[in-house]
Amino acid sequence: MTPDIILKMKIKDLIKQDPGFQFVIDNMELMSSAGRRVMLDEEFLSDASSVAARWEMVQKAVDAVANPDNVRAFNDLRHCLMQLHDLRGTLAALAGHQMLNEVELFEIKNLAYIAGKASPAMGQMGFLGELPLPDLGDVFATLDPDSTGVVSFYIYDSYDPRLPGLRRELKALQEHGGDQQRIADLIAQQGDIQKDVCLALSDKLALRQKDLSAALETMAYTDFLLAKADLAKRWNLVRPTIADTTSYVALVNPRLRQRNEELGLRYQPVDIALTHGVTLVTGANMAGKTVLLKSVATAQLMVQCGFFAPAASAAIEPVDEVMTSIGDEQNEMNGLSSFASEIIKISNIVQRSRNSRMLVLVDEPARTTNPVEGKALVQALIGLLGEVDSSTLITTHYSQLGSKCRRLRVRGFVEDLCNMPLNPQNINRFIDYSLTEDTSDEVPQEALRIATILGCDSILLERARQALG
């Protein structure tokens, strides 16, 4: 079993490892299958200049869409993109000098038609500088010899002088029940001529294969870019800046925020500044520590794949890898216990951290083994990850670790704000999810207090208090 490693991966790989990022991708409103393919093939970039260049493209798209002078051009462009097919197979056949059939020739004609319609709209919106769109007017003319201007394709009579007379005779025989053998001969002759036409057209179009492929990729990427801009507007995402360390003001988890809105629950964004080295995050149960890790992971994936950040402001240090060990992920298929599964992931994280600049997010390591050995493992993990060039967040319930690292504490349940009987449905209204610097080596002990507030069995609670001394 391997850890959740994200290294020079593509979006289609990342969404399998991060449900929060999967939620982001599921909410992208793309117009075409080609646009979705380009999106899924987008890479997680670690080079700061490349990441910033992607943000710049999204910003230009946001500005172009927001410009009231571009309303008509934007609608025209979206209409074109809705008609865009992902004809990579046809273009590959063309590159291999294979003969295209009539359906494939129609696909080429349709692409040329869409490119011709999209070009003015893209020019109006200022995209053509960064996203060059080849002129395919001659391709369309080749496939529209009678200058009909329509997208549909047909082996026109004008392609071969033998076709008009042959088709007239064939039509007359078919309408009047003529000699069936003659009809069969004419159909065969027509097929041979059409094959010759398709072969000639394929040879001619093969000379434009690179331009056709470039047009497809440009329009597909434009679709992806517009979907990014649309998401930024709908979710109030912010353009990040490049920095030496990562920090967020009012960071949100898009998936959790939507769920809370649907349930009528409060959602509280969180401010967090990461540092190089290890940061321990402590807090009571239900204080949002796991959600914090998931939010940071999703945000890092978003920004390094060229999305804007789900925050009020964001400064980003690009990393080579994002590695996580979050949640109970018992591997029953391989016969591994929760602890075995977790320790293999953590071991791989430690090994890879020696050669890679990483963001590491570990949720309550060694929580499923005995506390003496578990505490020793956490101390060792903090020590090792503190020696490498990475930013690490580790949540824990272990006290007195004695490790030299930064500590943050979730403020947690604020009893003074409570003005109603508490239950599992409303307690989150009175939890402060904000983070505060903590110099103590102790973790909050609020389990019995929250259990009492939630009406846990009184005898059970009393026995627990007695056990605590």
Side-chain angles (χ1 to χ4, degrees):
M1 183 174 181
T2 58
D4 295 335
I5 302 171
I6 299 164
L7 173 61
K8 301 302 182 187
M9 300 181 78
K10 298 180 178 180
I11 286 179
K12 62 185 175 186
D13 305 307
L14 305 179
I15 57 178
K16 298 174 184 177
Q17 302 186 35
D18 188 277
F21 195 39
Q22 173 75 68
F23 177 81
V24 173
I25 297 306
D26 288 345
N27 277 271
M28 294 287 283
E29 295 187 355
L30 292 136
M31 299 291 105
S32 68
S33 59
R36 180 168 181 80
R37 186 256 305 165
V38 165
M39 175 183 69
L40 294 177
D41 283 342
E42 186 84 329
E43 288 187 346
F44 174 90
L45 295 181
S46 57
D47 176 68
S49 61
S50 299
V51 174
R54 284 184 176 174
W55 297 339
E56 177 64 20
M57 287 296 295
V58 176
Q59 186 63 59
K60 289 182 178 180
V62 169
D63 295 340
V65 172
N67 187 340
D69 294 337
N70 290 340
V71 172
R72 181 172 180 177
F74 175 64
N75 290 334
D76 288 346
L77 184 54
R78 282 174 65 92
H79 182 71
C80 289
L81 295 173
M82 290 174 64
Q83 303 172 67
L84 183 65
H85 301 158
D86 195 359
L87 61 158
R88 284 180 302 160
T90 297
L91 294 175
L94 204 59
H97 296 279
Q98 299 177 28
M99 185 187 75
L100 303 187
N101 59 36
E102 290 185 51
V103 173
E104 291 168 327
L105 290 169
F106 160 73
E107 290 179 333
I108 298 294
K109 185 178 182 182
N110 184 60
L111 177 61
Y113 179 84
I114 294 171
K117 294 294 183 181
S119 184
M122 291 179 63
Q124 170 70 30
M125 299 181 71
F127 288 155
L128 291 182
E130 293 82 2
L131 301 172
L133 185 61
D135 183 356
L136 301 179
D138 62 318
V139 172
F140 186 83
T142 296
L143 298 172
D144 187 34
D146 293 347
S147 301
T148 64
V150 299
V151 183
S152 58
F153 178 75
Y154 175 67
I155 302 295
Y156 296 92
D157 288 352
S158 51
Y159 277 130
D160 191 292
R162 295 171 291 175
L163 282 174
L166 184 153
R167 285 174 169 170
R168 283 195 299 271
E169 181 181 356
L170 178 60
K171 181 180 179 181
L173 289 172
Q174 289 174 329
E175 288 178 350
H176 299 94
D179 181 19
Q180 294 302 307
Q181 183 59 52
R182 178 57 178 168
I183 291 175
D185 291 342
L186 291 174
I187 291 175
Q189 292 176 36
Q190 179 179 242
D192 290 339
I193 296 171
Q194 290 177 337
K195 183 178 179 179
D196 291 342
V197 170
C198 288
L199 185 59
L201 289 174
S202 300
D203 288 342
K204 186 173 184 179
L205 293 173
L207 301 175
R208 301 300 310 278
Q209 186 273 336
K210 290 184 179 179
D211 286 338
L212 287 163
S213 294
L216 174 63
E217 296 308 304
T218 290
M219 289 189 287
Y221 187 78
T222 300
D223 189 11
F224 178 34
L225 191 62
L226 291 176
K228 279 185 176 179
D230 172 71
L231 191 73
K233 179 180 179 181
R234 284 189 286 123
W235 283 5
N236 294 316
L237 306 181
V238 65
R239 179 180 179 175
T241 58
I242 297 293
D244 293 332
T245 57
T246 293
S247 62
Y248 299 98
V249 174
L251 173 68
V252 303
N253 183 303
R255 185 169 63 147
L256 181 60
R257 178 177 60 182
Q258 178 172 302
R259 189 203 68 175
N260 281 16
E261 289 173 353
E262 292 172 350
L263 296 175
L265 301 176
R266 178 181 68 101
Y267 182 83
Q268 179 183 340
V270 176
D271 299 347
I272 183 168
L274 306 182
T275 59
H276 293 162
V278 177
T279 298
L280 275 183
V281 182
T282 63
N285 290 322
M286 302 190 306
K289 300 185 299 298
T290 302
V291 170
L292 172 67
L293 298 190
K294 291 180 177 180
S295 301
V296 171
T298 298
Q300 193 79 23
L301 297 184
M302 289 178 65
V303 297
Q304 289 194 234
C305 287
F307 292 81
F308 282 2
S313 68
I316 304 300
E317 178 192 23
V319 296
D320 299 324
E321 303 181 52
V322 176
M323 300 184 72
T324 68
S325 177
I326 301 175
D328 183 3
E329 300 181 16
Q330 180 171 339
N331 195 332
E332 297 176 354
M333 296 300 293
N334 291 332
L336 295 178
S337 68
S338 298
F339 176 73
S341 172
E342 175 191 45
I343 205 65
I344 290 173
K345 297 179 77 175
I346 289 176
S347 174
N348 279 302
I349 286 173
V350 170
Q351 291 171 4
R352 293 189 69 84
S353 71
R354 297 178 180 128
N355 301 302
S356 183
R357 180 173 47 110
M358 302 193 308
L359 171 63
V360 178
L361 305 163
V362 184
D363 189 29
E364 295 190 36
R367 66 191 177 281
T368 58
T369 190
N370 78 74
V372 175
E373 291 180 299
K375 185 174 179 179
L377 282 168
V378 174
Q379 290 171 323
L381 179 63
I382 293 171
L384 288 170
L385 292 178
E387 297 169 359
V388 297
D389 184 23
S390 294
S391 297
T392 299
L393 287 179
I394 299 176
T395 66
T396 186
H397 279 105
Y398 286 119
S399 291
Q400 299 179 343
L401 290 169
S403 302
K404 293 183 178 180
C405 63
R406 178 184 178 220
R407 289 172 169 81
L408 295 175
R409 177 174 54 83
V410 182
R411 292 184 184 276
F413 181 71
V414 183
E415 198 164 358
D416 293 342
L417 299 177
C418 183
N419 56 7
M420 63 178 68
L422 290 179
N423 56 58
Q425 286 70 45
N426 67 13
I427 192 171
N428 92 309
R429 299 183 186 181
F430 311 105
I431 294 177
D432 184 349
Y433 296 99
S434 62
L435 300 166
T436 181
E437 297 283 344
D438 190 4
T439 58
S440 171
D441 199 20
E442 299 289 334
V443 299
Q445 296 185 14
E446 296 184 314
L448 294 184
R449 183 166 73 102
I450 292 177
T452 301
I453 291 169
L454 292 174
C456 184
D457 182 83
S458 59
I459 298 176
L460 172 64
L461 292 173
E462 182 59 28
R463 292 285 180 89
R465 293 188 185 97
Q466 291 174 6
L468 284 174

